[in-house]
Amino acid sequence: MAVTKAEELTRVLFTAEGYVPPTPHLFVPSGFVAYRPRRTEYDSELILRDPETHISSNWTEERMRQKDIRGFGGVCSSLALYQSLSARVRQLIDKAGFSEFIQTLTPARNDHAILVVLAERWRDTTNTFHLPIGEMTVTPADFAAITDLRVGGEPIPFNSGIQEDLVALEWFLGEAPKIEEGMAWYRQFTRYLKKTVTTKQEAEQMARAYLLYLFGATLYPNRCSKVHLSYLPALRDLRTASRFDWGGAALGAAYGFLGDSSRTEMSTVGYWRIWELCAYEVLNMCRPASKSLDLGILPRAHIWSKKNMGEKKGRGDLNGFRIYLDELRPS
């Protein structure tokens, strides 16, 4: 069987000196989809593809009570772990471009009713919410303003075969993690973060272990609580890792996973918190009382942090949220 160029590149043996991540960048997880602007002209039947399989197709009282879309991952634990690290390791993570995003990861309410009502309005064929006033979505600019992760930059380098190279894993992380199907349980990296750091290399290895935890628990979580090791090549030089399109990958994954939930009623993954923040920030839906709505605060997620929020109105009121969206006006 002929070996493709991409496969050939992923089989190159690892050497730490002069290591260059393989190309092209490809995302193995099926939920990762690239952001594509909707075409100017489109087939109206495409938007309503298989309407009977969409969760909005049956709003009976019994079905309403059964719906329960939750978010996977450990948003708060990512912040707590970051705060427990030494200043030396945190500085490396900050240079990689994740400092502000991590600071926004305060306790989330994970309001299931918000996720349900938004999934009911979401169409996976357009990656937009279909509302009485028209279509809307979380745009790349919205995502960047809310999270401080820009959408754009260089493609994320990716190596689908790195889990088979123990020498590479030990160089990147200090020791090879337990692996299943190319992925590692992200919780095992908490053990890595308890080591004593004495050298620059050890500090870099701990920073990479933390970022794998962050990806698995918060930014790119999946339903199996594992993280792809294929991200490691992008973390070779933490000083320049910020040039990669982490925000674009997270937004694309969020689109894909919410689309999956809109068809299956399964709990959503990816950075699902963006949908709650969008409900507060953009739709003004069940917005908690906030001590400050200063438009100059960036990233916007800081406004909705636990320390800045008061009591949230309408928590869990699915029918109330539906009525609210039905009565939205352009103003």
Side-chain angles (χ1 to χ4, degrees):
M1 181 182 295
V3 177
T4 66
K5 182 63 175 177
E7 290 173 333
E8 179 183 338
L9 287 166
T10 61
R11 295 179 182 180
V12 176
L13 293 177
F14 176 84
T15 56
E17 185 176 354
Y19 174 69
V20 178
T23 54
H25 91 294
L26 297 169
F27 284 120
V28 167
S30 59
F32 283 3
V33 293
Y35 171 75
R36 297 185 182 91
R38 178 172 58 80
R39 298 194 304 264
T40 303
E41 296 181 1
Y42 54 90
D43 184 350
S44 59
E45 293 184 359
L46 177 65
I47 295 178
L48 302 177
R49 174 176 61 84
D50 300 329
E52 66 276 6
T53 68
H54 198 273
I55 64 172
S56 62
S57 62
N58 186 346
W59 284 6
T60 64
E61 197 66 34
E62 180 182 0
R63 190 174 173 89
M64 288 179 192
R65 288 195 298 270
Q66 291 175 348
K67 290 182 181 179
D68 189 16
I69 296 177
R70 301 168 181 260
F72 277 75
V75 171
C76 305
S77 59
S78 294
L79 175 59
L81 281 175
Y82 172 82
Q83 293 171 334
S84 71
L85 297 173
S86 68
R88 184 178 188 180
V89 176
R90 289 201 306 271
Q91 287 173 359
L92 292 169
I93 296 168
D94 296 348
K95 288 180 181 179
F98 295 95
S99 174
E100 284 294 332
F101 172 70
I102 294 169
Q103 296 299 332
T104 69
L105 301 179
T106 56
R109 298 177 187 266
N110 193 358
D111 194 324
H112 307 166
I114 293 179
L115 296 177
V116 170
V117 76
L118 293 180
E120 288 176 344
R121 307 279 180 162
W122 183 259
R123 286 291 176 177
D124 52 355
T125 47
T126 59
N127 285 335
T128 57
F129 297 108
H130 287 244
L131 304 169
I133 58 174
E135 295 179 58
M136 68 153 289
T137 193
V138 174
T139 67
D142 292 333
F143 188 86
I146 291 172
T147 66
D148 196 58
L149 293 176
R150 67 169 178 159
V151 176
E154 296 182 22
I156 299 174
F158 173 84
N159 186 347
S160 62
I162 197 169
Q163 72 275 4
E164 299 175 2
D165 193 335
L166 296 182
V167 175
L169 294 179
E170 290 176 0
W171 186 87
F172 277 109
L173 297 170
E175 64 176 278
K178 294 181 179 179
I179 301 168
E180 291 184 14
E181 297 180 350
M183 296 185 288
W185 296 94
Y186 69 78
R187 290 187 181 88
Q188 71 180 290
F189 292 110
T190 59
R191 175 175 58 84
Y192 286 55
L193 305 181
K194 296 178 181 179
K195 298 178 181 179
T196 300
V197 171
T198 58
T199 67
K200 176 184 176 182
Q201 183 179 15
E202 289 173 343
E204 291 175 344
Q205 290 168 342
M206 185 173 289
R208 295 188 192 101
Y210 170 81
L211 288 172
L212 284 180
Y213 183 95
L214 178 72
F215 295 164
T218 304
L219 198 55
Y220 312 114
N222 51 46
R223 296 187 180 96
C224 61
S225 299
K226 297 176 184 177
V227 62
H228 286 267
L229 298 175
S230 306
Y231 298 111
L232 282 173
L235 303 177
R236 177 185 178 273
D237 189 344
L238 294 167
R239 298 169 300 176
T240 58
S242 62
R243 71 181 189 266
F244 299 124
D245 189 12
W246 303 108
L251 179 58
Y255 283 167
F257 286 127
L258 188 62
D260 183 42
S261 296
S262 74
R263 297 287 177 180
T264 64
E265 297 186 34
M266 294 177 65
S267 292
T268 193
V269 283
Y271 184 58
W272 57 265
R273 197 185 186 201
I274 190 64
W275 306 121
E276 284 194 0
L277 295 173
C278 172
Y280 305 154
E281 181 76 13
V282 182
L283 294 172
N284 192 19
M285 185 173 71
C286 63
R287 177 182 283 181
S290 178
K291 298 176 183 178
S292 175
L293 288 176
D294 183 357
L295 294 178
I297 294 178
L298 290 173
R300 301 293 294 167
H302 282 313
I303 293 179
W304 313 112
S305 65
K306 186 175 182 180
K307 65 180 180 181
N308 197 39
M309 287 195 301
E311 182 180 355
K312 186 172 69 170
K313 300 177 182 179
R315 179 178 175 83
D317 186 1
L318 177 59
N319 289 329
F321 293 163
R322 285 170 170 160
I323 293 171
Y324 179 85
L325 292 180
D326 282 337
E327 295 179 348
L328 275 180
R329 296 292 179 266
S331 59

